[in-house]
Amino acid sequence: MAGTVTITTAAGESFTAYEAKPDGAPKGGLVLIQEIFGVNQVMRDLAEGFAAQGYHVLAPDLFWRQEPGVDITDKTEAEWQKAFALLNGFDQDKGVADLQATISHLRGLGVGKVGTVGYCLGGRLALLTALRTDADAAVSYYGIMLAPLVPEFEKISAPLLMHIAELDKYVPPADREAVLAALASRPTASAYVYDGQEHAFARVGGQHYNVDAATLANGRTEAFLAKALAA
């Protein structure tokens, strides 16, 4: 069952989130964090897929301060240009606050533990939820701009899973190695590098989608969440 809900920020403002509910009682809550294309069909399909696994899912509209309801694809140059403009205008600190509001909203529904899963920009934000929110677990798919966050990695205490593309054009190899080295000292964190894979290898329908790598990553995510969000 899917629909839209309204979430209120600590400042009293409001934004919407796509909601997907499981059949029966949820085995946890999940905040699904968008890419730079907004809460589009890819994100809605992902939300419904996680709901089918038993989670109560919310995918918040994080670009609402710039343009509510962004829903674009990765298929045209014009859409890419709009996506990058939205990324450049996005206040990530306020975005993390919106994610905390979404986590709190889910908890208020009595879903139990709440985790986050994010892709691309959302992959960075998922890591930020592990650093700056009270999320019970976080999963990051090919996050961008991760290396500047390394000094904060000492804050990681909840379970964290990271999927990293070896050939990610948005992540220099030196940055990737710095992130992996810093994660190695965090006992609740695990990371996998997908050899030969490009950015967005798990985006169904995307240019770099790879069914084998995506299936492997998604299977790891499913097992991770089942353990991390268990009652």
Side-chain angles (χ1 to χ4, degrees):
M1 184 166 53
T4 302
V5 299
T6 299
I7 297 170
T8 303
T9 70
E13 299 174 294
S14 61
F15 59 95
T16 61
Y18 184 79
E19 179 181 46
K21 297 180 181 179
D23 293 330
K27 58 184 182 182
L30 207 59
V31 176
L32 189 63
I33 312 174
Q34 65 181 61
E35 299 186 78
I36 59 176
F37 309 105
V39 182
N40 61 3
Q41 191 61 53
V42 170
M43 300 307 297
R44 294 191 291 271
D45 289 344
L46 284 167
E48 290 164 24
F50 282 114
Q53 294 177 25
Y55 299 101
H56 189 150
V57 185
L58 292 180
D61 175 11
L62 297 180
F63 286 157
W64 65 274
R65 290 182 177 86
Q66 300 177 80
E67 180 184 332
V70 171
D71 179 353
I72 58 178
T73 77
D74 62 351
K75 303 304 182 188
T76 69
E77 180 61 25
E79 288 174 301
W80 273 102
Q81 292 302 318
K82 179 172 182 175
F84 282 123
L86 288 163
L87 171 63
N88 291 334
F90 178 57
D91 185 321
Q92 294 192 31
D93 290 336
K94 290 182 178 178
V96 172
D98 291 343
L99 291 170
Q100 179 63 74
T102 308
I103 293 166
S104 298
H105 182 95
L106 266 176
R107 285 216 180 92
L109 300 177
V111 300
K113 292 184 178 180
V114 177
T116 65
V117 180
Y119 304 78
C120 180
L121 166 63
R124 184 180 204 269
L125 293 170
L127 175 57
L128 281 168
T129 66
L131 301 174
R132 302 179 187 176
T133 77
D134 61 7
D136 294 299
V139 181
S140 168
Y141 280 77
Y142 32 83
I144 57 175
M145 301 179 287
L146 300 183
L149 299 176
V150 164
E152 293 188 52
F153 278 20
E154 63 184 20
K155 300 177 184 176
I156 297 171
S157 58
L160 169 67
L161 172 63
M162 300 190 70
H163 302 295
I164 298 172
E166 180 193 23
L167 304 181
D168 196 322
K169 63 183 178 182
Y170 301 115
V171 181
D175 286 4
R176 180 185 69 237
E177 294 309 312
V179 168
L180 291 170
L183 287 174
S185 65
R186 308 312 306 164
T188 62
S190 55
Y192 295 95
V193 176
Y194 294 80
D195 294 343
Q197 298 307 309
E198 247 287 10
H199 185 79
F201 66 82
R203 182 193 299 146
V204 175
Q207 178 182 359
H208 299 295
Y209 178 66
N210 182 282
V211 64
D212 292 334
T215 299
L216 179 58
N218 293 338
R220 287 167 169 165
T221 294
E222 184 173 357
F224 170 84
L225 290 174
K227 180 179 180 180
L229 300 183

